[in-house]
Amino acid sequence: MLKKYFNKTKVCQDLGINEKAVLTAISIIMNHNVFQFGDIYWLQMDGTAMGMPPAPMWATLYFFL
C-alpha cells in the first residue's frame, strides 16, 4: 500500500526520503507486533498492527488509494 502511495504521489522524491528504507522500517514494525491482552502476549501475524503509531496513517492511505 505504501509503495503504491509513494509511486502515485512521489512524496519520497520530493522530500529526499529513502523510499526503500521507509518500506523496510514499516515492514519490520507491522510484521513484528507483540501485544499483551491480560497476562498473555500475542504476536500479530496478519493485518495492521493495531495500537502501533503507523496504524492510523496506514488506514488513511488504504481508503485514499
Side-chain angles (χ1 to χ4, degrees):
M1 184 65 57
L2 283 176
K3 188 172 186 175
K4 185 176 177 182
Y5 173 73
F6 290 157
N7 288 336
K8 184 175 183 176
T9 64
K10 305 295 183 201
V11 68
C12 285
Q13 291 175 352
D14 293 344
L15 297 175
I17 297 171
N18 184 330
E19 179 181 327
K20 185 176 179 181
V22 172
L23 292 173
T24 299
I26 203 75
S27 176
I28 290 169
I29 291 169
M30 293 299 203
N31 291 313
H32 294 90
N33 182 36
V34 176
F35 60 95
Q36 181 180 0
F37 185 75
D39 61 347
I40 301 172
Y41 289 86
W42 301 83
L43 174 62
Q44 185 165 341
M45 303 295 289
D46 190 30
T48 302
M50 299 312 297
M52 299 296 285
M57 178 215 37
W58 183 268
T60 301
L61 287 176
Y62 179 82
F63 286 107
F64 172 74
L65 297 174

